[in-house]
């Protein structure tokens, strides 16, 4: 019987098939919705400030739209131009409302429970942390959706002037809802990490305001002319809200599905999934397997990033394929560095409860168990596979190009850059594992990683510049600049040097630096594994000694005071 609806719950699925289980989940959601979502929706319905805030926001946006539209209509602008301008103005304002209000609502979800001393009551209900995370997300997203529902009638003002189609407005609202879900998940992940509501709100706003502006300028304004370059049917002046217009004007085909459906879904879905896993991991106990969901996300994101980095080499012009491969490897290297920070808080090893669970689990599940050694092996395996795959696809595309000189030069560029990226990525993963094995939490390893990477990015170039000035060198190709080979950006310098008739010592310096990085990474990884094994063995020894002491105390108590059954006999 559902507590919320008073309806008897349906029986479990009759089979283990995926379709039957999805249908069962749908019936359960209809008859027994998430209790946290129901509770918070009832609370928000009783608040008088909720409709007041919605009304004020709607009135302000309406006045802004009417002022801009009236000013343009009284001038020389055509009605279609006024309609397009109001369309971009409305969805730009709605985007910033979603990007700022969504994280604030999400940050209020869990931190308010902890600050109000009601979080323990939520834990005592026995709900799984995943259910708690979904309930908090559903309630915050519903509140954000109510803002968009109140603002929706204002979005009909562009229809008074023309210039936009109903499909553009509909698609824009769909993507606005997806962005709202991502913004709420971002605030919820911050709320799960914070103990204070004020701290969670401050961090959410300080992060969302500059990040939303950066994404608006890069993903909106800067990319507004890209669809016209790909599809001639798309108008050139799309404006910042270009994705719905590209949907309505671009012809349906493979490029439409890849660039306008799958790519936006990955750009929104992968960060949203990661934020959910971070929230869920933070709500789990320290004796649980917190990293399993993150590892699942890491495997899927690695494969998608690999495809994104490797496929452009097959579609760009023939003389630019090496540049496409280098750009793809550079992007995947950034992904490797991000995951080194992500797994810097990995547990040293599994707890007793997790080991008991893994002993009965399948082999693939045991491979994704918690531990610094396990996550390091996973990162190294996927990293090596990705770099070899990107280089292999790029070389296969390049060798289809006629002309021996150009093919040889592009092949050398890919080999040199991939060797450097592979060695440096190996070093980053090994350094992250070693620092984590020497610390008791995840903050210190991330600080050390950031400090080391920042120093390696700038100090070699500064030392090279100083050495070049002392030797009287002014050209970046001089031998004085070879000390900069320790910088992560030197792979680009070595690849560019191969395009000259005489590359100088850049090739040798790049190979030496990549070898040193790989050796240091292997040494740090081995030292991290050895230290983690010693820590686990010491912990197991302490647990065995504690079990032996407890068993001895039980035996002594039984010998001194016999059991009631023995006394009766």
């Amino acid at each position: 019987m559902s507590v919320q609806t008073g309806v008897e719950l349906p029986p479990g699925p009759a089979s283990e098939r995926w379709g039957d289980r999805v249908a069962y989940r749908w019936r359960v959601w209809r008859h027994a919705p998430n209790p946290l979502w129901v509770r918070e929706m009832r609370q928000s319905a009783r608040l008088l400030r909720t409709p007041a805030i919605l009304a004020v926001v709607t009135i302000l946006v309406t006045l802004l739209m009417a002022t801009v539209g009236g000013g343009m209509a009284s001038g020389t602008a055509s009605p279609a131009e006024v309609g397009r301008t109001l369309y971009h103005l409305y969805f730009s304002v709605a985007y910033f409302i979603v990007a700022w209000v969504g994280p604030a609502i999400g940050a209020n979800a869990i931190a308010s429970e902890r600050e109000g001393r009601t979080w323990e009551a939520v834990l005592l209900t026995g709900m799984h942390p995943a259910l708690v995370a979904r309930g908090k997300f559903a309630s915050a997203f519903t509140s954000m959706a109510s803002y968009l529902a109140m603002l929706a009638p204002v979005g009909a003002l562009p229809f008074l002037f023309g210039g936009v189609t109903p499909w553009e407005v509909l698609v824009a609202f769909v993507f606005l809802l997806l962005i709202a879900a991502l913004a709420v998940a971002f605030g919820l992940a911050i709320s799960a990490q914070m103990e204070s509501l004020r701290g969670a709100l401050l961090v959410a706003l300080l992060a969302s305001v500059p990040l939303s502006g950066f994404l608006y300028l890069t993903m909106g304004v800067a990319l507004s002319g890209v669809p016209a370059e790909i599809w001639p049917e798309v108008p050139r002046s799309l404006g910042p809200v270009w994705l719905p217009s590209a949907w309505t004007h671009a012809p349906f085909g493979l490029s439409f599905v890849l660039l306008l459906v799958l790519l936006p879904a990955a750009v929104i879905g992968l960060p949203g999934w990661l934020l959910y896993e971070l929230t869920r991991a933070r709500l789990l106990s320290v004796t649980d397997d917190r990293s399993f969901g993150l590892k699942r996300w890491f495997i899927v994101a690695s494969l998608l990033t690999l495809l994104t980095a490797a496929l452009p080499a097959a579609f760009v012009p023939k003389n630019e394929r090496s540049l496409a491969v280098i750009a793809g490897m550079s992007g995947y290297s950034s992904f490797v560095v991000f995951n080194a920070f992500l797994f810097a808080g990995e547990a040293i090893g599994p707890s007793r409860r997790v080991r008991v669970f893994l002993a009965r689990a399948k082999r693939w599940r045991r491979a994704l168990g918690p531990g610094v050694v396990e996550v390091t092996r996973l990162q190294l395996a996927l990293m090596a596979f990705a770099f070899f795959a990107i280089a292999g696809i790029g070389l296969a595309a390049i060798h289809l190009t006629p002309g021996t000189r150009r093919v040889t030069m592009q092949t050398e560029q890919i080999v040199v850059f991939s060797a450097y990226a592979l060695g440096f990525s190996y070093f980053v993963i090994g350094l992250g594992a070693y620092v984590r094995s020497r610390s008791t939490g995840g903050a210190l390893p991330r600080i050390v990683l950031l400090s080391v990477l920042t120093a390696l990015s700038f100090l070699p170039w500064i030392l090279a510049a100083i050495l070049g000035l002392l030797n009287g060198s002014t050209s970046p190709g001089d031998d004085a600049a070879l000390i900069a080979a320790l910088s992560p950006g030197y792979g680009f310098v070595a690849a560019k040097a191969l395009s000259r008739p005489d590359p100088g010592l850049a090739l040798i310096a790049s190979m030496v630096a990549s070898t040193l990085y790989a050796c240091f990474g292997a040494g740090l990884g081995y030292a991290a594994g050895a230290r983690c094994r010693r820590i686990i063995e010491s912990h197991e020894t302490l647990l065995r000694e504690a079990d032996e002491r407890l068993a001895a105390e039980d035996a002594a108590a039984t010998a001194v005071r016999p059991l009631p059954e023995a006394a009766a006999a």
Side-chain angles (χ1 to χ4, degrees):
M1 181 73 68
S2 171
V3 178
Q4 290 80 29
T5 60
V7 179
E8 185 176 356
L9 296 180
S15 66
E16 294 295 327
R17 292 184 301 179
W18 183 80
D20 294 337
R21 299 188 68 85
V22 170
Y24 170 72
R25 292 293 181 185
W26 169 253
R27 292 194 300 269
V28 169
W29 183 84
R30 286 184 57 194
H31 296 291
N34 192 287
L36 284 177
W37 177 59
V38 174
R39 186 199 72 174
E40 299 200 3
M41 287 299 97
R42 289 175 177 173
Q43 287 180 348
S44 62
R46 291 193 294 265
L47 295 177
L48 297 178
R49 68 172 181 266
T50 301
I53 294 174
L54 294 176
V56 169
V57 172
T58 305
I59 292 173
L60 291 177
V61 174
T62 305
L63 291 176
L64 177 63
M65 295 277 292
T67 302
V68 174
M72 293 186 65
S74 61
T76 58
S78 63
E81 184 179 353
V82 175
R84 296 293 301 178
T85 302
L86 291 179
Y87 166 78
H88 288 286
L89 176 63
Y90 170 77
F91 282 103
S92 297
V93 172
Y95 162 76
F96 282 106
I97 291 176
V98 164
W100 296 349
V101 178
I105 295 176
N108 186 51
I110 299 175
S112 61
E113 298 275 5
R114 289 173 175 163
E115 190 174 85
R117 305 297 178 87
T118 57
W119 179 246
E120 290 77 10
V122 175
L123 296 179
L124 289 175
T125 59
M127 289 187 296
H128 193 271
L131 185 63
V132 175
R134 289 195 295 268
K136 290 294 184 179
F137 171 79
S139 60
F141 180 71
T142 305
S143 300
M144 190 68 249
S146 63
Y147 283 84
L148 297 180
M150 287 289 292
L151 291 174
V154 187
L157 288 178
F159 291 127
L160 299 177
F161 301 92
V164 294
T165 62
W167 281 111
E168 289 184 72
V169 176
L170 179 61
V171 174
F173 269 112
V174 171
F175 279 103
L176 197 60
L177 286 172
L178 294 177
I179 295 174
L182 188 60
V184 168
F186 176 70
L188 195 63
I190 294 177
S191 180
Q193 304 292 328
M194 307 295 290
E195 297 292 336
S196 170
L197 175 59
R198 297 174 182 86
L201 289 173
L202 182 62
V203 172
L205 291 177
L206 289 179
S208 61
V209 170
L211 183 60
S212 61
F214 173 77
L215 293 177
Y216 182 80
L217 294 177
T218 55
M219 305 294 290
V221 178
L223 297 181
S224 59
V226 174
E229 300 292 336
I230 302 175
W231 299 284
E233 297 84 356
V234 178
R236 288 196 168 272
S237 57
L238 291 181
V241 190
W242 57 267
L243 188 57
S245 301
W247 262 63
T248 56
H249 291 89
F252 185 79
L254 180 60
S255 59
F256 181 95
V257 175
L258 290 177
L259 300 178
L260 297 181
V261 179
L262 297 182
L263 185 59
V267 169
I268 296 176
L270 285 179
W273 184 10
L274 175 61
L275 293 171
Y276 167 74
E277 294 296 346
L278 289 173
T279 304
R280 179 177 174 271
R282 185 63 178 84
L283 298 182
L284 288 172
S285 172
V286 292
T287 60
D288 291 325
D289 187 359
R290 289 184 167 184
S291 62
F292 174 64
L294 296 175
K295 290 176 183 176
R296 288 187 304 180
W297 175 88
F298 170 63
I299 294 174
V300 176
S302 297
L303 297 178
L304 292 178
T305 307
L306 164 62
L307 292 177
T308 306
L311 289 181
F315 297 100
V316 298
K318 296 180 179 180
N319 57 346
E320 298 179 359
R321 287 179 180 174
S322 62
L323 299 179
V325 174
I326 291 174
M329 286 188 176
S330 176
Y332 195 87
S333 300
S334 303
F335 179 74
V336 171
V337 173
F338 171 78
N339 286 286
F341 281 92
L342 178 64
F343 290 111
E346 179 70 15
I348 298 296
S351 63
R352 272 189 168 184
R353 186 168 68 175
V354 174
R355 283 202 307 271
V356 171
F357 167 76
L358 293 178
R360 300 192 299 264
K362 296 181 180 179
R363 185 174 181 180
W364 67 268
R365 179 63 181 87
R366 292 196 297 270
L368 298 181
V372 174
V373 177
E374 287 74 10
V375 76
T376 303
R377 290 173 180 170
L378 180 63
Q379 290 182 84
L380 291 175
L382 288 178
M383 180 265 295
F385 172 75
F387 278 122
F388 281 113
I390 295 172
I393 294 174
L395 292 175
I398 287 173
H399 281 275
L400 298 177
T401 305
T404 56
R405 174 72 184 98
R406 188 66 181 172
V407 169
T408 303
M409 184 194 69
Q410 294 193 37
T411 302
E412 292 174 352
Q413 288 178 335
I414 291 177
V415 171
V416 169
F417 190 87
S418 60
Y420 194 96
L422 187 65
F424 184 76
S425 299
Y426 200 168
F427 167 75
V428 171
I429 296 174
L431 177 63
Y434 178 75
V435 178
R436 175 63 187 96
S437 66
R438 306 286 300 186
S439 62
T440 57
L444 180 61
R446 294 184 174 96
I447 295 175
V448 173
L449 267 178
L450 181 61
S451 303
V452 172
L453 293 179
T454 304
L456 289 176
S457 299
F458 297 103
L459 284 182
W461 294 107
I462 296 174
L463 295 177
I466 295 174
L467 184 60
L469 291 176
L470 293 177
N471 294 336
S473 301
T474 57
S475 174
D478 292 333
D479 295 343
L482 295 180
I483 195 174
L486 294 177
S487 175
Y490 195 80
F492 298 99
V493 177
K496 185 178 180 180
L498 291 174
S499 61
R500 300 194 299 263
D502 183 15
L505 298 179
L507 177 61
I508 298 176
S510 175
M511 299 305 293
V512 171
S514 62
T515 304
L516 288 176
Y517 274 130
C519 293
F520 273 110
L524 292 173
Y526 178 79
R531 180 171 177 79
C532 289
R533 284 189 291 270
R534 290 196 300 268
I535 293 174
I536 294 174
E537 290 175 0
S538 175
H539 181 69
E540 291 296 324
T541 301
L542 292 176
L543 291 178
R544 284 195 300 268
E545 292 176 355
D547 291 340
E548 291 174 358
R549 292 194 188 98
L550 291 175
E553 291 178 0
D554 291 341
T558 304
V560 173
R561 186 178 58 189
L563 295 176
E565 293 81 0

